[in-house]
Coordinates of all heavy atoms in Angstrom, one line a residue:
M1 N -44.1 227.0 163.2 CA -45.1 227.9 162.6 C -44.7 229.2 162.4 O -43.7 229.7 163.1 CB -46.4 228.0 163.5 CG -47.1 226.6 163.6 SD -48.9 227.2 163.7 CE -49.3 226.5 165.3
F2 N -45.3 229.9 161.4 CA -44.8 231.2 161.2 C -46.1 232.2 161.2 O -47.3 231.7 161.0 CB -44.2 231.4 159.8 CG -45.1 230.9 158.6 CD1 -45.9 231.9 157.9 CD2 -45.2 229.6 158.2 CE1 -46.7 231.5 156.9 CE2 -46.0 229.2 157.2 CZ -46.8 230.2 156.6
R3 N -45.8 233.4 161.5 CA -47.0 234.5 161.6 C -47.2 235.1 160.3 O -46.2 235.5 159.6 CB -46.6 235.4 162.7 CG -46.5 234.9 164.1 CD -46.2 235.9 165.1 NE -47.2 237.0 165.1 CZ -48.2 237.1 165.9 NH1 -48.4 236.2 166.8 NH2 -49.0 238.2 165.8
R4 N -48.3 235.2 160.0 CA -48.6 235.9 158.8 C -49.0 237.4 159.0 O -49.6 237.7 160.1 CB -49.8 235.3 158.1 CG -49.6 233.9 157.5 CD -50.7 233.4 156.9 NE -50.2 232.0 156.3 CZ -51.1 231.1 155.7 NH1 -52.3 231.6 155.5 NH2 -50.7 230.0 155.4
D5 N -48.7 238.3 158.1 CA -49.1 239.7 158.2 C -50.5 239.8 157.7 O -50.7 240.0 156.5 CB -48.0 240.5 157.4 CG -48.2 242.0 157.6 OD1 -48.9 242.4 158.7 OD2 -47.7 242.8 156.8
V6 N -51.4 239.8 158.6 CA -52.8 239.9 158.2 C -53.2 241.4 158.0 O -52.9 242.3 158.7 CB -53.7 239.3 159.3 CG1 -55.2 239.4 159.0 CG2 -53.3 237.9 159.6
K7 N -53.7 241.6 156.8 CA -54.2 243.0 156.4 C -55.7 243.0 156.3 O -56.2 242.0 155.9 CB -53.6 243.5 155.3 CG -52.1 243.4 155.2 CD -51.5 244.8 155.5 CE -50.1 244.7 155.2 NZ -49.3 245.6 156.0
D8 N -56.3 244.1 156.5 CA -57.8 244.3 156.4 C -58.0 244.4 154.8 O -57.2 245.0 154.1 CB -58.3 245.7 156.9 CG -59.7 245.9 157.0 OD1 -60.4 244.8 157.0 OD2 -60.1 247.0 156.9
I9 N -59.0 243.8 154.3 CA -59.3 243.8 152.9 C -59.5 245.3 152.4 O -59.2 245.5 151.2 CB -60.5 242.8 152.5 CG1 -60.7 242.5 151.1 CG2 -61.8 243.3 153.3 CD1 -59.6 241.7 150.5
K10 N -60.2 246.0 153.2 CA -60.5 247.4 152.7 C -59.2 248.1 152.4 O -59.1 248.9 151.5 CB -61.3 248.2 153.7 CG -61.6 249.5 153.4 CD -62.3 250.3 154.4 CE -62.6 251.7 154.0 NZ -63.3 252.5 155.1
E11 N -58.3 247.9 153.4 CA -56.9 248.6 153.2 C -56.2 248.0 151.9 O -55.7 248.9 151.2 CB -56.0 248.3 154.4 CG -54.7 248.8 154.4 CD -53.8 248.3 155.6 OE1 -54.4 248.1 156.7 OE2 -52.5 248.2 155.4
L12 N -56.3 246.9 151.6 CA -55.6 246.3 150.5 C -56.3 246.8 149.1 O -55.6 247.1 148.2 CB -55.8 244.7 150.5 CG -54.8 244.0 151.6 CD1 -55.2 242.5 151.5 CD2 -53.4 244.3 151.3
V13 N -57.6 246.8 149.2 CA -58.4 247.3 148.0 C -58.0 248.8 147.7 O -57.8 249.2 146.6 CB -59.9 247.0 148.2 CG1 -60.6 247.8 147.1 CG2 -60.2 245.6 148.1
M14 N -58.1 249.6 148.8 CA -57.7 251.0 148.7 C -56.4 251.2 148.2 O -56.2 252.2 147.4 CB -58.1 251.8 150.0 CG -59.6 251.8 150.3 SD -60.6 252.4 149.0 CE -60.2 254.3 149.1
R15 N -55.4 250.5 148.7 CA -54.0 250.7 148.3 C -53.9 250.3 146.9 O -53.2 251.0 146.0 CB -53.1 249.7 149.2 CG -51.7 249.9 148.7 CD -50.6 249.1 149.6 NE -51.1 248.4 150.6 CZ -50.5 247.3 151.0 NH1 -49.4 247.0 150.5 NH2 -51.0 246.7 152.1
N16 N -54.5 249.3 146.4 CA -54.6 248.8 144.9 C -55.2 249.9 144.0 O -54.6 250.2 143.1 CB -55.2 247.5 144.7 CG -55.1 246.9 143.4 OD1 -54.1 247.1 142.8 ND2 -56.0 246.2 142.9
L17 N -56.3 250.4 144.5 CA -57.0 251.5 143.8 C -55.9 252.7 143.6 O -56.0 253.4 142.6 CB -58.3 251.9 144.4 CG -59.4 250.9 144.2 CD1 -60.5 251.3 145.1 CD2 -59.8 250.8 142.8
R18 N -55.3 253.1 144.8 CA -54.4 254.2 144.7 C -53.4 254.0 143.8 O -52.9 254.9 143.1 CB -53.9 254.4 146.3 CG -53.1 255.7 146.5 CD -52.8 255.9 147.9 NE -53.9 255.8 148.9 CZ -54.0 254.8 149.7 NH1 -53.0 253.9 149.9 NH2 -55.2 254.7 150.5
Q19 N -52.8 252.8 143.7 CA -51.6 252.5 142.7 C -52.1 252.6 141.4 O -51.3 252.9 140.5 CB -51.0 251.0 143.1 CG -50.3 251.0 144.4 CD -50.0 249.7 144.7 OE1 -50.4 248.5 144.2 NE2 -49.1 249.4 145.8
Q20 N -53.4 252.2 141.1 CA -54.0 252.2 139.8 C -54.4 253.6 139.4 O -54.7 253.9 138.3 CB -55.1 251.2 139.6 CG -54.8 249.9 139.9 CD -53.9 249.4 138.8 OE1 -54.0 249.6 137.6 NE2 -53.0 248.3 139.2
G21 N -54.4 254.6 140.3 CA -54.9 256.0 140.1 C -56.4 256.0 140.1 O -56.9 257.0 139.5
L22 N -57.2 255.1 140.8 CA -58.5 255.1 140.8 C -59.2 255.4 142.0 O -60.5 255.5 142.1 CB -59.0 253.8 140.2 CG -58.7 253.3 139.0 CD1 -59.0 251.7 138.6 CD2 -59.1 254.1 137.8
E23 N -58.4 255.8 143.0 CA -59.0 256.1 144.4 C -59.8 257.4 144.3 O -61.0 257.4 144.8 CB -57.9 256.2 145.4 CG -58.4 256.5 146.7 CD -57.3 256.7 147.7 OE1 -56.1 257.2 147.4 OE2 -57.6 256.4 148.9
M24 N -59.2 258.4 143.7 CA -59.9 259.8 143.7 C -61.2 259.7 142.9 O -62.1 260.2 143.4 CB -59.0 260.8 143.3 CG -59.5 262.2 143.5 SD -60.0 262.5 145.2 CE -58.5 262.6 146.1
P25 N -61.2 259.1 141.7 CA -62.5 259.0 141.0 C -63.6 258.2 141.8 O -64.8 258.6 141.7 CB -62.1 258.2 139.7 CG -60.8 258.5 139.5 CD -60.1 258.7 140.9
L26 N -63.2 257.2 142.5 CA -64.1 256.5 143.4 C -64.7 257.4 144.5 O -65.8 257.4 144.7 CB -63.4 255.2 143.9 CG -64.3 254.3 144.9 CD1 -65.6 253.7 144.1 CD2 -63.5 253.3 145.5
L27 N -63.8 258.1 145.1 CA -64.1 258.9 146.2 C -65.2 260.0 145.6 O -66.0 260.5 146.3 CB -63.0 259.5 146.9 CG -62.1 258.6 147.7 CD1 -60.9 259.2 148.3 CD2 -63.0 258.1 148.8
Q28 N -64.8 260.5 144.5 CA -65.6 261.7 143.9 C -67.1 261.1 143.6 O -68.0 261.7 143.9 CB -65.0 262.1 142.6 CG -63.8 263.0 142.8 CD -63.1 263.5 141.6 OE1 -63.4 263.0 140.5 NE2 -62.2 264.4 141.7
K29 N -67.1 259.9 143.1 CA -68.4 259.4 142.8 C -69.3 259.1 144.1 O -70.4 259.4 144.2 CB -68.3 258.0 142.1 CG -69.6 257.3 141.8 CD -69.2 256.0 141.0 CE -70.5 255.3 140.6 NZ -71.7 255.5 141.2
R30 N -68.6 258.7 145.2 CA -69.2 258.4 146.4 C -69.7 259.8 147.0 O -70.8 259.9 147.6 CB -68.2 257.8 147.5 CG -68.0 256.4 147.2 CD -67.2 255.9 148.3 NE -66.8 254.5 148.0 CZ -65.8 253.8 148.6 NH1 -65.2 254.5 149.6 NH2 -65.6 252.6 148.3
L31 N -68.9 260.8 146.8 CA -69.3 262.1 147.3 C -70.5 262.8 146.6 O -71.5 263.2 147.2 CB -68.2 263.2 147.1 CG -68.4 264.4 147.9 CD1 -67.1 264.8 148.7 CD2 -68.6 265.6 146.9
V32 N -70.5 262.6 145.2 CA -71.8 263.0 144.6 C -73.0 262.3 144.9 O -74.0 262.9 145.0 CB -71.4 262.9 143.0 CG1 -72.6 263.2 142.2 CG2 -70.3 263.9 142.5
E33 N -72.8 261.0 145.0 CA -74.0 260.1 145.5 C -74.4 260.5 146.9 O -75.5 260.2 147.3 CB -73.6 258.8 145.4 CG -73.5 258.3 144.0 CD -73.0 256.7 143.8 OE1 -72.6 256.2 144.8 OE2 -73.1 256.3 142.7
A34 N -73.4 261.1 147.8 CA -73.8 261.4 149.1 C -74.5 262.8 149.3 O -75.0 263.1 150.3 CB -72.5 261.4 150.0
W35 N -74.4 263.6 148.2 CA -75.1 264.9 148.2 C -76.4 264.8 148.8 O -76.9 265.5 149.8 CB -75.0 265.5 146.9 CG -75.8 266.8 146.9 CD1 -77.0 267.0 146.2 CD2 -75.7 268.0 147.7 NE1 -77.5 268.2 146.5 CE2 -76.8 268.9 147.4 CE3 -74.7 268.5 148.6 CZ2 -76.9 270.1 147.9 CZ3 -74.9 269.7 149.1 CH2 -76.0 270.5 148.8
P36 N -77.4 264.0 148.1 CA -78.8 264.0 148.7 C -78.9 263.5 150.2 O -79.8 264.0 150.9 CB -79.6 263.1 147.7 CG -78.7 262.9 146.6 CD -77.3 263.2 147.0
V37 N -78.0 262.6 150.5 CA -78.1 262.1 151.8 C -77.6 263.1 152.9 O -78.3 263.4 154.0 CB -77.1 260.8 152.0 CG1 -77.0 260.4 153.4 CG2 -77.5 259.8 151.0
V38 N -76.6 263.9 152.6 CA -76.1 264.9 153.4 C -76.8 266.1 153.5 O -77.1 266.7 154.6 CB -74.6 265.1 153.2 CG1 -74.0 266.4 153.9 CG2 -73.6 264.0 153.4
A39 N -77.2 266.5 152.3 CA -78.2 267.7 152.3 C -79.6 267.5 152.8 O -80.3 268.4 153.3 CB -78.2 268.1 150.8
G40 N -80.0 266.3 152.7 CA -81.3 266.0 153.1 C -82.3 265.7 152.0 O -82.0 266.1 150.8
E41 N -83.4 265.0 152.2 CA -84.3 264.5 151.3 C -85.0 265.7 150.5 O -85.2 265.7 149.3 CB -85.4 263.7 151.9 CG -85.9 262.7 151.0 CD -86.9 261.7 151.8 OE1 -86.4 261.0 152.7 OE2 -88.1 261.6 151.5
T42 N -85.3 266.8 151.1 CA -86.1 267.9 150.7 C -85.1 268.6 149.7 O -85.5 268.9 148.5 CB -86.5 268.9 151.8 OG1 -87.3 268.2 152.6 CG2 -87.3 270.0 151.1
I43 N -83.8 268.8 150.1 CA -82.9 269.6 149.2 C -82.6 268.7 148.1 O -82.4 269.2 147.0 CB -81.6 270.1 149.9 CG1 -82.0 271.1 151.0 CG2 -80.6 270.5 149.0 CD1 -80.9 271.4 151.9
G44 N -82.4 267.3 148.3 CA -82.1 266.4 147.2 C -83.1 266.4 146.2 O -82.9 266.2 145.0
S45 N -84.4 266.7 146.5 CA -85.5 266.7 145.6 C -85.5 267.9 144.7 O -86.0 267.8 143.6 CB -87.0 266.6 146.3 OG -87.2 267.8 147.0
Y46 N -84.9 269.0 145.1 CA -84.7 270.2 144.2 C -83.3 270.0 143.4 O -83.1 270.9 142.5 CB -84.6 271.5 145.1 CG -85.9 271.8 145.7 CD1 -86.4 271.5 146.9 CD2 -86.9 272.5 144.8 CE1 -87.7 271.9 147.3 CE2 -88.2 272.8 145.3 CZ -88.5 272.5 146.6 OH -89.8 273.0 147.2
T47 N -82.5 269.0 143.6 CA -81.3 268.9 142.9 C -81.6 268.3 141.6 O -82.1 267.2 141.4 CB -80.3 268.0 143.7 OG1 -80.1 268.6 145.0 CG2 -79.0 267.9 143.0
L48 N -81.2 269.0 140.5 CA -81.3 268.4 139.2 C -80.0 267.7 138.7 O -80.1 266.7 137.9 CB -81.5 269.6 138.1 CG -82.7 270.5 138.4 CD1 -82.7 271.7 137.5 CD2 -84.0 269.7 138.3
N49 N -78.9 268.1 139.1 CA -77.7 267.5 138.6 C -76.6 268.0 139.7 O -76.6 269.0 140.2 CB -77.3 267.8 137.3 CG -76.2 267.0 136.6 OD1 -75.8 265.9 137.3 ND2 -75.7 267.2 135.5
A50 N -75.5 267.0 139.8 CA -74.4 267.3 140.7 C -73.1 266.7 140.1 O -73.3 265.5 139.6 CB -74.6 266.8 142.1
W51 N -72.1 267.4 140.1 CA -70.8 266.8 139.5 C -69.6 267.6 140.1 O -69.7 268.6 140.8 CB -70.7 267.1 137.8 CG -70.6 268.4 137.4 CD1 -69.5 269.2 137.1 CD2 -71.7 269.3 137.2 NE1 -69.8 270.5 136.7 CE2 -71.1 270.5 136.8 CE3 -73.0 269.3 137.4 CZ2 -71.9 271.7 136.5 CZ3 -73.9 270.4 137.2 CH2 -73.3 271.6 136.6
I52 N -68.4 267.0 140.0 CA -67.2 267.5 140.5 C -66.2 267.9 139.4 O -66.0 267.2 138.5 CB -66.5 266.5 141.5 CG1 -67.3 266.3 142.8 CG2 -65.2 267.1 141.9 CD1 -66.9 265.3 143.6
Q53 N -65.7 269.1 139.5 CA -64.7 269.5 138.5 C -63.6 270.3 139.3 O -64.0 271.4 140.0 CB -65.3 270.4 137.5 CG -64.3 270.8 136.4 CD -65.1 271.4 135.3 OE1 -66.2 271.7 135.3 NE2 -64.4 271.8 134.3
N54 N -62.4 270.0 139.3 CA -61.3 270.8 139.9 C -61.5 271.0 141.5 O -61.4 272.1 141.9 CB -61.0 272.2 139.2 CG -60.6 272.0 137.8 OD1 -60.0 271.0 137.4 ND2 -61.0 272.9 136.9
Q55 N -61.8 269.9 142.1 CA -62.2 269.9 143.5 C -63.2 270.8 143.9 O -63.5 271.3 145.1 CB -60.9 270.3 144.3 CG -59.8 269.3 144.3 CD -58.6 269.6 145.3 OE1 -58.3 270.7 145.5 NE2 -58.1 268.6 145.9
T56 N -64.1 271.1 143.0 CA -65.4 271.8 143.4 C -66.6 271.1 142.9 O -66.6 270.6 141.8 CB -65.3 273.2 142.5 OG1 -64.2 273.9 142.9 CG2 -66.7 273.9 142.9
L57 N -67.6 271.0 144.0 CA -68.7 270.3 143.7 C -69.8 271.3 143.1 O -70.0 272.3 143.8 CB -69.4 269.6 144.9 CG -70.8 268.9 144.8 CD1 -70.7 267.8 143.9 CD2 -71.2 268.6 146.2
Y58 N -70.3 271.0 142.0 CA -71.3 271.9 141.3 C -72.6 271.2 141.5 O -72.7 270.1 141.2 CB -71.0 272.1 139.8 CG -69.8 273.0 139.6 CD1 -68.5 272.3 139.5 CD2 -69.9 274.3 139.5 CE1 -67.4 273.2 139.2 CE2 -68.7 275.1 139.3 CZ -67.4 274.5 139.1 OH -66.4 275.2 138.9
V59 N -73.6 272.0 142.0 CA -75.0 271.4 142.3 C -75.9 272.3 141.6 O -76.0 273.4 141.8 CB -75.2 271.3 143.8 CG1 -76.6 270.7 144.0 CG2 -74.2 270.5 144.5
K60 N -76.6 271.8 140.7 CA -77.6 272.5 139.8 C -78.9 272.3 140.5 O -79.5 271.1 140.8 CB -77.7 272.0 138.4 CG -78.6 272.8 137.6 CD -78.5 272.4 136.1 CE -79.6 273.1 135.3 NZ -79.0 274.0 134.3
L61 N -79.5 273.4 141.0 CA -80.9 273.4 141.7 C -81.9 274.0 140.9 O -81.8 274.9 140.1 CB -80.6 274.1 143.0 CG -79.6 273.6 144.0 CD1 -79.3 274.6 145.1 CD2 -80.0 272.3 144.6
S62 N -83.2 273.6 141.1 CA -84.3 274.0 140.4 C -85.0 275.2 141.1 O -85.8 275.8 140.5 CB -85.4 273.0 140.3 OG -85.8 272.6 141.5
S63 N -84.6 275.6 142.4 CA -85.1 276.7 143.0 C -84.1 277.8 143.3 O -83.1 277.6 144.0 CB -85.7 276.2 144.4 OG -86.0 277.3 145.2
P64 N -84.3 279.0 142.9 CA -83.2 280.2 143.1 C -83.2 280.5 144.5 O -82.1 280.8 145.0 CB -83.8 281.3 142.1 CG -84.7 280.6 141.2 CD -85.3 279.4 141.8
A65 N -84.4 280.5 145.1 CA -84.3 280.9 146.6 C -83.5 279.9 147.4 O -82.8 280.2 148.3 CB -85.8 280.8 147.1
L66 N -83.6 278.5 147.1 CA -82.9 277.6 147.8 C -81.4 277.7 147.5 O -80.5 277.6 148.4 CB -83.4 276.2 147.4 CG -82.6 275.0 148.0 CD1 -82.8 275.0 149.6 CD2 -83.2 273.7 147.5
R67 N -81.1 278.1 146.3 CA -79.6 278.3 145.8 C -79.0 279.4 146.7 O -77.9 279.2 147.2 CB -79.7 278.6 144.3 CG -78.4 278.7 143.7 CD -78.4 279.1 142.2 NE -79.6 278.5 141.6 CZ -80.3 279.0 140.6 NH1 -79.8 280.3 140.2 NH2 -81.4 278.5 140.2
A68 N -79.8 280.5 146.9 CA -79.3 281.6 147.7 C -79.0 281.2 149.2 O -78.1 281.5 149.8 CB -80.2 282.8 147.6
D69 N -80.0 280.4 149.6 CA -79.9 280.0 151.0 C -78.8 279.0 151.3 O -78.0 279.1 152.2 CB -81.3 279.3 151.4 CG -81.2 278.9 152.8 OD1 -80.8 279.6 153.8 OD2 -81.7 277.7 153.2
L70 N -78.5 278.1 150.3 CA -77.5 277.1 150.4 C -76.1 277.8 150.3 O -75.1 277.1 150.7 CB -77.7 276.0 149.6 CG -78.9 275.0 149.7 CD1 -79.0 274.0 148.7 CD2 -78.9 274.4 151.1
S71 N -76.0 278.7 149.4 CA -74.8 279.4 149.3 C -74.1 280.0 150.4 O -72.9 280.1 150.7 CB -75.0 280.6 148.1 OG -75.3 280.1 147.1
M72 N -74.9 280.3 151.5 CA -74.5 280.8 152.7 C -74.0 279.6 153.6 O -73.3 279.9 154.6 CB -75.6 281.6 153.5 CG -76.0 282.9 152.8 SD -77.2 283.7 153.7 CE -78.5 283.7 152.5
R73 N -74.3 278.3 153.3 CA -73.9 277.3 154.1 C -72.8 276.4 153.4 O -72.7 275.2 153.7 CB -75.1 276.5 154.4 CG -76.2 277.1 155.2 CD -77.4 276.4 155.5 NE -77.2 275.0 156.1 CZ -77.9 274.1 156.0 NH1 -79.2 274.2 155.5 NH2 -77.7 273.0 156.5
R74 N -72.1 276.9 152.3 CA -71.2 276.2 151.6 C -70.1 275.5 152.4 O -69.9 274.3 152.2 CB -70.5 277.1 150.6 CG -71.4 277.5 149.5 CD -70.8 278.3 148.4 NE -69.4 278.6 148.6 CZ -68.8 279.7 148.1 NH1 -69.5 280.6 147.5 NH2 -67.6 280.0 148.4
A75 N -69.5 276.3 153.4 CA -68.5 275.7 154.1 C -68.9 274.5 155.0 O -68.2 273.6 155.1 CB -67.8 276.8 155.1
E76 N -70.1 274.5 155.6 CA -70.7 273.5 156.3 C -70.8 272.2 155.5 O -70.5 271.2 155.9 CB -72.1 273.9 156.9 CG -72.8 272.9 157.6 CD -74.2 273.4 158.0 OE1 -74.5 274.6 157.8 OE2 -74.9 272.5 158.4
F77 N -71.4 272.4 154.3 CA -71.6 271.3 153.4 C -70.2 270.6 152.9 O -70.2 269.4 152.8 CB -72.4 271.7 152.2 CG -74.0 271.7 152.5 CD1 -74.6 272.9 152.3 CD2 -74.6 270.5 153.0 CE1 -76.0 272.9 152.7 CE2 -75.9 270.6 153.3 CZ -76.7 271.8 153.2
V78 N -69.3 271.5 152.7 CA -67.9 270.9 152.3 C -67.5 270.1 153.5 O -67.0 268.9 153.2 CB -67.0 272.1 151.9 CG1 -65.5 271.5 151.9 CG2 -67.4 272.8 150.6
A79 N -67.5 270.5 154.7 CA -67.0 269.6 155.8 C -67.7 268.4 155.9 O -67.2 267.4 156.2 CB -67.0 270.6 157.1
L80 N -69.1 268.5 155.8 CA -70.0 267.3 156.0 C -69.7 266.4 154.9 O -69.5 265.0 155.2 CB -71.4 267.7 156.0 CG -71.9 268.5 157.4 CD1 -73.4 268.9 157.1 CD2 -71.9 267.5 158.4
L81 N -69.5 266.8 153.7 CA -69.4 265.9 152.6 C -68.0 265.2 152.6 O -67.9 264.0 152.4 CB -69.6 266.6 151.2 CG -71.0 266.8 150.8 CD1 -71.1 267.8 149.8 CD2 -71.8 265.7 150.5
N82 N -67.0 265.9 152.9 CA -65.7 265.4 153.1 C -65.6 264.4 154.2 O -65.0 263.3 154.1 CB -64.6 266.4 153.2 CG -64.3 267.1 151.9 OD1 -64.4 266.5 150.9 ND2 -64.0 268.4 152.0
Q83 N -66.3 264.7 155.3 CA -66.3 263.8 156.4 C -67.2 262.5 156.0 O -66.7 261.3 156.4 CB -67.0 264.5 157.7 CG -67.1 263.6 158.8 CD -67.7 264.4 160.0 OE1 -68.3 265.5 159.8 NE2 -67.8 263.8 161.2
Y84 N -68.2 262.6 155.3 CA -69.0 261.5 154.9 C -68.2 260.4 154.2 O -68.3 259.2 154.4 CB -70.2 262.0 154.1 CG -71.1 260.9 153.8 CD1 -72.2 260.5 154.7 CD2 -71.2 260.1 152.6 CE1 -73.1 259.5 154.4 CE2 -72.0 259.1 152.4 CZ -73.1 258.9 153.3 OH -73.9 257.9 153.0
V85 N -67.3 261.0 153.2 CA -66.4 260.0 152.4 C -65.1 259.6 153.1 O -64.4 258.8 152.6 CB -66.2 260.5 151.0 CG1 -67.6 260.6 150.2 CG2 -65.5 261.9 151.0
G86 N -64.9 260.4 154.1 CA -63.6 260.1 154.9 C -62.3 260.4 154.3 O -61.3 260.0 154.5
N87 N -62.4 261.6 153.3 CA -61.2 262.0 152.7 C -61.5 263.5 152.2 O -62.7 263.8 152.0 CB -60.8 261.2 151.5 CG -59.4 261.1 151.3 OD1 -58.7 262.2 151.5 ND2 -58.8 260.1 150.7
Q88 N -60.4 264.3 151.9 CA -60.5 265.6 151.5 C -60.8 265.5 149.9 O -59.8 265.4 149.2 CB -59.3 266.5 151.8 CG -59.4 267.8 151.2 CD -60.3 268.7 152.0 OE1 -60.7 268.4 153.1 NE2 -60.8 269.7 151.2
V89 N -62.0 265.6 149.5 CA -62.2 265.4 148.0 C -62.5 266.8 147.3 O -62.0 267.1 146.3 CB -63.4 264.4 147.9 CG1 -63.7 264.2 146.3 CG2 -63.1 263.0 148.4
I90 N -63.3 267.5 148.1 CA -63.7 268.8 147.6 C -63.2 270.0 148.3 O -63.0 269.8 149.7 CB -65.1 269.0 147.3 CG1 -66.0 268.8 148.5 CG2 -65.6 268.0 146.2 CD1 -67.4 269.2 148.4
A91 N -63.0 271.1 147.8 CA -62.6 272.3 148.6 C -63.7 273.4 148.5 O -63.6 274.3 149.4 CB -61.4 272.8 147.9
D92 N -64.6 273.3 147.6 CA -65.7 274.2 147.5 C -66.9 273.6 146.9 O -66.9 272.6 146.3 CB -65.2 275.4 146.6 CG -66.0 276.7 146.8 OD1 -66.8 276.8 147.7 OD2 -65.9 277.5 145.9
I93 N -68.1 274.4 147.1 CA -69.2 274.1 146.4 C -69.8 275.2 145.7 O -69.9 276.3 146.3 CB -70.4 273.5 147.5 CG1 -69.9 272.3 148.2 CG2 -71.7 273.2 146.7 CD1 -70.9 271.7 149.2
R94 N -70.3 275.0 144.5 CA -71.0 276.0 143.8 C -72.4 275.5 143.4 O -72.6 274.5 142.9 CB -70.2 276.3 142.4 CG -68.9 276.9 142.6 CD -68.8 278.3 143.2 NE -67.6 278.7 143.7 CZ -66.6 279.4 143.1 NH1 -67.0 279.8 141.8 NH2 -65.5 279.7 143.6
F95 N -73.5 276.5 143.7 CA -74.8 276.2 143.3 C -75.2 276.9 142.1 O -75.0 278.1 142.1 CB -75.6 276.5 144.5 CG -75.3 275.7 145.8 CD1 -74.5 276.2 146.8 CD2 -75.7 274.4 146.0 CE1 -74.3 275.6 148.0 CE2 -75.4 273.6 147.1 CZ -74.7 274.3 148.1
C96 N -75.6 276.3 141.2 CA -76.1 276.9 139.9 C -77.5 276.5 139.5 O -78.0 275.6 140.0 CB -75.1 276.6 138.9 SG -74.5 274.9 138.6

């Protein structure tokens, strides 16, 4: 008998995505979808749009007061979102 090198399916899929150049777009999509979960339901209800450009998450909010409040917690949200997806995807958040 011979021993097989058993690999986890997640590891194989992520390696294939990395080779195809699709890992980062997938992680970015997960991070954008994670915004309402990490920020909370209330903040998510004020979010009009969210997108990533040049390692910066842009979040368009409908409330100027909330925008000012969240701007002071940018570093906290960057850490939480990157931790949620398990990779360093963004370096900054801008609220507009």
Side-chain angles (χ1 to χ4, degrees):
M1 284 215 244
F2 60 93
R3 292 182 58 101
R4 294 185 181 181
D5 187 19
V6 179
K7 304 259 188 212
D8 185 32
I9 189 74
K10 180 181 178 183
E11 179 185 332
L12 293 172
V13 170
M14 291 307 284
R15 184 176 358 153
N16 189 28
L17 288 172
R18 195 173 306 117
Q19 289 172 348
Q20 300 291 325
L22 300 173
E23 180 183 30
M24 192 52 71
L26 176 64
L27 291 172
Q28 288 176 347
K29 182 178 181 338
R30 285 183 185 164
L31 190 133
V32 169
E33 290 175 349
W35 167 250
V37 175
V38 171
E41 207 173 299
T42 305
I43 295 172
S45 67
Y46 286 100
T47 302
L48 300 175
N49 196 6
W51 69 95
I52 296 177
Q53 184 175 3
N54 298 329
Q55 289 190 324
T56 301
L57 175 65
Y58 292 90
V59 180
K60 186 171 177 121
L61 298 168
S62 61
S63 170
L66 182 61
R67 187 177 329 144
D69 183 44
L70 293 180
S71 292
M72 291 182 243
R73 299 175 53 200
R74 288 185 356 213
E76 177 187 346
F77 281 118
V78 168
L80 287 172
L81 287 164
N82 283 328
Q83 181 182 2
Y84 188 88
V85 296
N87 207 333
Q88 179 70 27
V89 178
I90 60 170
D92 195 15
I93 298 179
R94 298 287 166 99
F95 298 102
C96 44

